[in-house]
Amino acid sequence: MWFVSSLFSSLMHFPTCFLLKPIFLHALSSFFHLLLLAMVLVTLLCKRIITVESKDKKTNNNNKALFQKTLFCSVGFSAFNLFLSLIDYFIWYRTSLSQEKLFTLLDLALKTVSWGVLAISMHNDHIRFPLLLFRIWCAFYLFVSCSSFIVDIIVLILYKKHVPLPPQCIVSDVVATLVGLFFCYVMCYVKNDECEDISTIEEPLLNGDDHASSMEKKETNRGGETVTPYLNAGIFSILTFSWIGSLIALGNKKILDLEDVPQLDSGDSVVEAFPAFKEKVEADCGGTNHITTLKLVKLLVVSAWKEILFTAFLALLNTLASYVGPYLIDAFVQFLDGKQLYENQGYVLVSAFFVAKIVECLSQRHWFFKLQQIGIRIRALLVTMIYNKSLTLSCQSKKGHTSGETINLMTVDAERIGVFSWYMHDLWLVVLQVSLALLILYKNLGIASIAAFFATVFVMLANVPLGSLQEKFQTKLMESKDARMKATSEVLRNMRILKLQGWEMKFLSKIIQLRKTEQMWLKKFVYTSAMTTFVFWGAPTFVSVVTFGTCMLVGIPLESGKILSALATFRILQEPIYNLPETISMIAQTKVSLDRISSFLRLEDLQFDVVEKLPLGTSDKAIEVTNGNFSWDLSSSITTLKNINLSVFHGMKVAVCGTVGSGKSTLLSCILGEVPKVSGTLKVCGKKAYVAQSPWIQSGKIEDNILFGKKMDREKYEKVLEACSLKKDLETLSFGDQTIIGERGINLSGGQKQRIQIARALYQDSDIYLFDDPFSAVDAHTGSHLFKECLLGHLSSKTVVYVTHQVEFLPAADLILVMKNGKITQCGKYIELLNNGADFMELVGAHKKALSTLDSTSTFEQDISVSNAHVVEQKEARKDDQIGNKIDINDHSELKGQLVQEEEREKGKVGFLIYWKYITTAYRGILVPFILLAQILFQTLQIGSNYWMTWATPISQDVDPSPVEGSTLILVYVALAIGSSFCILARAMLLVTAGYKTATLLFNKMHFCIFRAPMSFFDSTPSGRILNRASTDQSAVDTDIPNQISSVAFTLIQLLGIIAVMSQVAWQVFFVFIPVIAASIWYQQYYLPAARELSRLVGVCKAPVIQHFAETISGASTIRSFDQQSRFQETNMKLSDEYSRPKFNVTGAMEWLCFRLDMLSSVTFAVSLIFLVSIPKGVINPSIAGLAVTYGLNLNMVQAWVVWNLCRLENKIISVERIMQYTCVPSEPPLVVEENRPDPSWPLYGEVDIQNLQVRYASHLPLVLRGISCTFYGGLKTGIVGRTGSGKSTLIQTLFRIVEPAAGRVMIDGINISSVGLHDLRSRLGIIPQDPTMFEGTVRNNLDPLEEYTDEQIWEALDKCQLGDEVRKKDGKLDSPVSENGENWSMGQRQLVCLGRVLLKKSKILVLDEATASVDTATDNLIQQTLKLHFADSTIITIAHRITSVLDSNMVLLLHQGVIEEYESPSKLLEDRCSSFSQLVAEYSTRSKSTFDKSVVQ
């Protein structure tokens, strides 16, 4: 009791107790902070001298979290003390500083510096503090802080009247006590042996939860293998977006790659989310076939309903917080005018403004982040649905939706629906914001708020016609974009044939024409948007004119405080009103996209009941068809296959033969379940494997193509390679079976692609094998080997149905089906059909006729095959199968590695040159100064009109009336408003004009460069990369980038205007502005390296999704035949997640930056307010100060928007960078050389003279043709033969200058082909390529794409190539439709169309590159006869696998490993029994004759 009474007595004499005086406590605190500063600096100095090797210990997660909070506490406390020191300075700077005030400021300054230095040292380096000493310091610091706090309480309770105590002192001591308690807790909690190294403390504002350096050092923690830190982040880390800090820090240390980017968590990963979504679709709609737009919207909303509700709450909170400023502005102006309602009212108002800003910042940042997170998830779900649907589409549905259109659904429509998440809450928010605005206006202006309401409604209703126009234009724009992308996709697939025919510029003009249609709608769309911009930028001014005019009319007095409150309200209302047209436009666009996707999802699927699948062992029949009628088009009265009755027992070999177009391939498609069933039953017992006639090869490794999802069984794998003759091919590749195949197997020969297909089927170990003429693409020797080893050997116990045009493979079949006009006309064994089969005898007779030319060799045939067997072996050893002519491009690619590289992306900062090129592309940039001038004038007039209203109106009714009359007040305001509106109109129109022109020029330049690129560019560049630039990047250039560049300039001008207004009132604010702007720039520079690379990764990761999608569409029937749909769906989801990964982190990084910028600008605004409430009354005009506060309310938003727009622009400008990459693609030689144009009649004789020709595919690669010299005499027929990879096709490509000679030359009629233009050369040569190509359109434009011939000439060509009757049967005749890739025509018919083209062209030199590989022997004979008749005077160069096709040639050229082995007439070569050509003929003859002999024996 005595102690308590003594203490009370001493406290009663407080003024005399020096130890408890604030001056002593501040001095003591200063001493302790000086001690802390010295300790940190000494530790830093010691670290400079002694390098301590850090121990690699795992830090306890709890300790780590504590250290992170400790570091943030240090940063926050330093900033807090800086804030307090500025407040005290602004309060005291006009009065004399007492000793106590000086010590207070000194204490605050030392606290700021010491805690700041401590935070920096903890963040930057591995520093070991003396832990004991630091604990002692923390204990003393807590004692001093508590003492100060206790003294504050005593003074506040007992001596309030005697000793004035500023509120900032109490706040400072409370915070200091809490910090002291926290640090003491940390120092007691942390164990000595675990974390003496405070270097593990990491700054959440910068580095987040994971240390960047540890990410670099520990491969196990690479981003690609770890889940995003967002999943396990604490509440503090989530609030401040610190979880992304480690990735941003890593981006500052190295260029980010995809493996550095963490995986998505399960909630955002489509792999995890789609199964549940699919179940909801099944439950609500019964499958995607019954999904409507409304149901699709409902499903998408339900899939993210929790996030949508949470973002709605955040949006509500943000809206309420944003209206606190306008609500309080009038009270603030009245306070500045001296009307103080209660003590410390100014500080209360400042606190209210500041807290509202913090709430607004936090809610907005998390609102935007969550919305984008929802968008990423929805986009991924939609892409997956579209992809899955594309795997089940019926053939009829595919005709209506080409691959280009389907890809557009994924790249454009799904993306747009994902982006719509931004606008999700805007409609109801507009209603809320208008309601709050009207309440505030009613409080200030009374009944005039009704006029404001009607003006606002009028402005919104004015948007209805604009919105409907935008929806219409957007729909048309998307339709025209679909048509263009469809054509572009088709052209890229067939670029080789276009270049060979010299058609590429014609097809470019078609795409340019389609783009012009698209541009017409784009122009209407952007100019409508410009009008919308004009209407809604002028809307706030229009509403304010109506409101203030109503006040004048009804006699409501206008006071500056109320006007400022109204202006602040209108300014906030401006954003929802301004965004309303964009919102309505987005709703319209999203509705269009949703309609398109839902209509696609409702398309008819394949009939899953076509095939009745039976488990293996339940039936003795592998395939059974009873009374089967099938039709590709169910709406047509003509069935494709009629009255099919077929029974195939297990283990049988069934051959299918017939003329071109008889229905052979369709029969196999029926067994696969691809053709709709009209009637009958079809049963299949066992697993199926399918080898298509047109090889379908995936991009990727050869090994992956063969395994096709199966696990590696090395022994089985080697046997398959041996059976398919692939071992020698793989040995010649630098990477063996790890070689990456280009798109559509572009770097493989036709035979190699076919053999890989067969190997894929064999490795699956299925029960039923369906082969669609796989032997036509390989030479005679390889074909015999494949038939013997694969069908008769590897698959001896399997059921095999094979289509073939090669009669020699028929006798081995247990059952032969002869097809004609969609019917099985005959069936039976070979010997049976020979005796009584008319149709079959027609095929066999054609084959015998072809073999009759070999009779002259029969006398020595046996000798060659027996006595010279050792010669054959020697030659075979020498003639190892090299890789095809195309793969030679990268056969020995030690320098460049694989042919298809990862997509090239620029690295580092986007160069200024890109920006400069973009803004100067249209009209050399002459419009840019006028656009900026219009914006500057608009901003000046806006500020001028607001300044006029505040200056010309009294602060309150108590003061003198307005210096101007009411009519003058309104007239001047209206004049300024009209001026600013016209500035906006001029700006908007000029901007869309420049943007539209730039987009047009960039499109034309990129496409011209792509079409003029050499074929090697297309061989090594997947079409997905080009399509990505032509669709996504071009869309960004069309609409997004002009708006983004303008936003940067306009917000910067707006920010400068705000700073100018605020500095008019308080120039001292610059003391805060300068460090805050410096900090903002530093943050931006810190953020940009990571954000830039993440944005580039988004672009790079999109191409594989598109490419996989395109490949899947083209190979859907093969995928279904192997029952691999689920595996491909999983791959698509994984690729989609890989695209979403960088996109998610881009979003997080953007919000990380914006949060920090918002905090900085909020502090700036708060300091400005504190200065205004601290200065004495009368120093500044309260009205002008209120105007500064009105503009300051937008400071954080505008400052954040400036940096955000800068960053977003750098992310978006990457689209321009990517397009410009393709405007610099090296070009082919000129199409026309004006000074060296050949005579129109050239070539007159058709003589081809090859002189020492050497060819390589790249400067660093070996020669493919090694010094060839020969002459193809005019008017004669020359056959070129040789093993796979001998250089046959390379020679043809050199003739067409697809590949340029490295040395030597090719002369045609005495003219060096390298001296004439490419178009002049290629247009004078004719070619029937190995892969027959037809384009979507009509029969007429497939035969005559350049529109050079009359209908009579076209009909004549059709009759000559035996297609006239077929075309006459069709409803449209010459205008009858041809579907994408000519899929409604058989392979043989497509080959005949190619024949029709050359018959029209009538070239003097004609090249046949395996031209008859896809037709039966009879059709082959027919083609040969047609060529003999109509090209009797032409030079014909034939590459053929059928020896009979070259036996009637005048000369035969035999190539081996790039050199001429033999070149002589066939008769002379056949006379020499040891010649290589004799060996080939004997081999073919022996194989063919042996089959007949076998049949006779049977």
Side-chain angles (χ1 to χ4, degrees), residues 1065-1120:
V1065 178
W1067 61 267
Q1068 291 88 347
V1069 174
F1070 273 109
F1071 287 118
V1072 182
F1073 264 131
I1074 292 169
V1076 165
I1077 289 173
S1080 299
I1081 292 170
W1082 182 86
Y1083 267 123
Q1084 184 202 5
Q1085 294 303 312
Y1086 185 79
Y1087 151 88
L1088 268 178
R1092 189 188 302 124
E1093 297 309 321
L1094 285 170
S1095 296
R1096 284 176 175 146
L1097 285 172
V1098 169
V1100 168
C1101 291
K1102 191 167 189 177
V1105 181
I1106 297 173
Q1107 186 182 337
H1108 181 68
F1109 207 159
E1111 283 184 347
T1112 301
I1113 292 169
S1114 63
S1117 57
T1118 301
I1119 294 166
R1120 287 192 291 264

Side-chain angles (χ1 to χ4, degrees), residues 168-375:
Q168 61 264 32
C169 290
I170 301 171
V171 174
S172 174
D173 291 336
V174 168
V175 173
T177 303
L178 292 174
V179 170
L181 282 167
F182 177 73
F183 266 84
C184 284
Y185 167 72
V186 170
M187 288 303 108
C188 292
Y189 182 89
V190 177
K191 296 179 183 179
N192 276 314
D193 58 346
E194 278 185 323
C195 276
E196 204 169 280
D197 188 354
I198 302 184
S199 65
T200 54
I201 302 175
E202 304 191 35
E203 183 180 1
L205 281 171
L206 289 174
N207 286 8
D209 292 337
D210 299 307
H211 199 284
S213 62
S214 68
M215 285 183 71
E216 286 185 284
K217 290 176 184 176
K218 296 183 182 179
E219 285 297 320
T220 54
N221 289 333
R222 292 301 291 269
E225 300 174 12
T226 57
V227 179
T228 174
Y230 177 71
L231 181 63
N232 299 313
I235 184 67
F236 178 81
S237 182
I238 289 174
L239 277 176
T240 60
F241 296 95
S242 300
W243 53 269
I244 193 71
S246 57
L247 191 60
I248 296 172
L250 185 62
N252 275 271
K253 295 176 184 291
K254 66 184 286 284
I255 291 173
L256 291 179
D257 292 312
L258 188 61
E259 61 265 24
D260 297 315
V261 182
Q263 299 286 348
L264 298 169
D265 71 8
S266 56
D268 294 316
S269 170
V270 72
V271 174
E272 303 288 338
F274 186 73
F277 183 76
K278 186 179 178 182
E279 286 178 11
K280 288 177 185 173
V281 173
E282 296 291 340
D284 291 4
C285 309
T288 56
N289 285 44
H290 304 98
I291 201 165
T292 62
T293 303
L294 191 62
K295 286 180 179 178
L296 181 60
V297 171
K298 178 188 170 186
L299 287 164
L300 293 173
V301 169
V302 168
S303 69
W305 69 271
K306 290 179 183 176
E307 289 83 357
I308 291 171
L309 283 180
F310 181 59
T311 52
F313 168 72
L314 291 173
L316 175 65
L317 195 62
N318 177 263
T319 303
L320 294 173
S322 67
Y323 276 95
V324 170
Y327 183 81
L328 295 177
I329 193 76
D330 186 30
F332 192 76
V333 172
Q334 298 302 326
F335 169 79
L336 294 179
D337 194 36
K339 297 181 177 62
Q340 186 171 348
L341 300 178
Y342 51 88
E343 192 179 357
N344 293 326
Q345 183 191 0
Y347 293 109
V348 171
L349 287 171
V350 169
S351 301
F353 277 121
F354 183 67
V355 170
K357 277 291 165 195
I358 296 296
V359 171
E360 183 184 351
C361 158
L362 279 170
S363 57
Q364 189 177 57
R365 297 280 60 87
H366 288 277
W367 169 26
F368 286 176
F369 174 72
K370 279 289 180 186
L371 284 180
Q372 290 180 84
Q373 194 178 4
I374 292 168

Side-chain angles (χ1 to χ4, degrees), residues 888-962:
D888 285 324
I889 297 171
N890 275 336
D891 257 0
H892 302 83
S893 48
E894 290 86 356
L895 297 176
K896 288 188 74 175
Q898 301 280 15
L899 172 67
V900 181
Q901 301 288 327
E902 285 188 20
E903 183 170 0
E904 178 188 352
R905 64 183 172 106
E906 301 291 337
K907 297 193 175 180
K909 189 176 182 181
V910 177
F912 174 74
L913 189 62
I914 298 292
Y915 294 94
W916 181 252
K917 280 183 179 178
Y918 179 79
I919 63 176
T920 57
T921 296
Y923 311 107
R924 296 186 178 179
I926 201 167
L927 295 182
V928 174
F930 293 102
I931 294 169
L932 292 174
L933 178 63
Q935 179 63 24
I936 291 167
L937 285 174
F938 167 74
Q939 192 65 33
T940 305
L941 291 171
Q942 282 271 297
I943 292 171
S945 62
N946 294 339
Y947 193 91
W948 166 257
M949 289 300 288
T950 52
W951 174 82
T953 52
I955 295 171
S956 64
Q957 298 179 34
D958 303 336
V959 300
D960 295 333
S962 171

Side-chain angles (χ1 to χ4, degrees), residues 854-864 1470 1473:
L854 296 175
D855 287 343
S856 60
T857 66
S858 60
T859 57
F860 57 88
E861 200 173 87
Q862 190 174 354
D863 295 337
I864 290 173
L1470 288 173
R1473 298 186 179 187

Side-chain angles (χ1 to χ4, degrees), residues 70 152 163 293 346 412 471 486 772 791 883 1264 1317 1401 1427:
T70 304
D152 289 340
V163 183
T293 303
V412 179
E471 181 180 3
K486 179 171 70 175
D772 193 354
L791 266 74
I883 204 72
V1264 181
K1401 200 173 183 180
L1427 293 174

Side-chain angles (χ1 to χ4, degrees), residues 1151-1226:
E1151 299 307 329
W1152 177 94
L1153 176 67
C1154 289
F1155 170 77
R1156 282 144 183 80
L1157 296 181
D1158 279 354
M1159 289 293 108
L1160 288 170
S1161 54
S1162 297
V1163 169
T1164 307
F1165 180 55
V1167 170
S1168 306
L1169 293 180
I1170 289 166
F1171 174 76
L1172 290 175
V1173 300
S1174 302
I1175 57 177
K1177 180 187 174 184
V1179 174
I1180 58 170
N1181 185 341
S1183 298
I1184 305 303
L1187 181 64
V1189 174
T1190 304
Y1191 274 88
L1193 285 170
N1194 283 335
L1195 177 65
N1196 69 316
M1197 183 186 75
V1198 174
Q1199 185 178 333
W1201 271 101
V1202 168
V1203 180
W1204 189 82
N1205 279 321
L1206 273 170
C1207 299
R1208 195 160 185 261
L1209 172 61
E1210 182 142 2
N1211 295 343
K1212 284 285 184 183
I1213 204 74
I1214 289 166
S1215 289
V1216 175
E1217 182 183 62
R1218 283 161 56 80
I1219 285 175
M1220 285 186 174
Q1221 274 181 350
Y1222 280 15
T1223 60
C1224 304
V1225 176

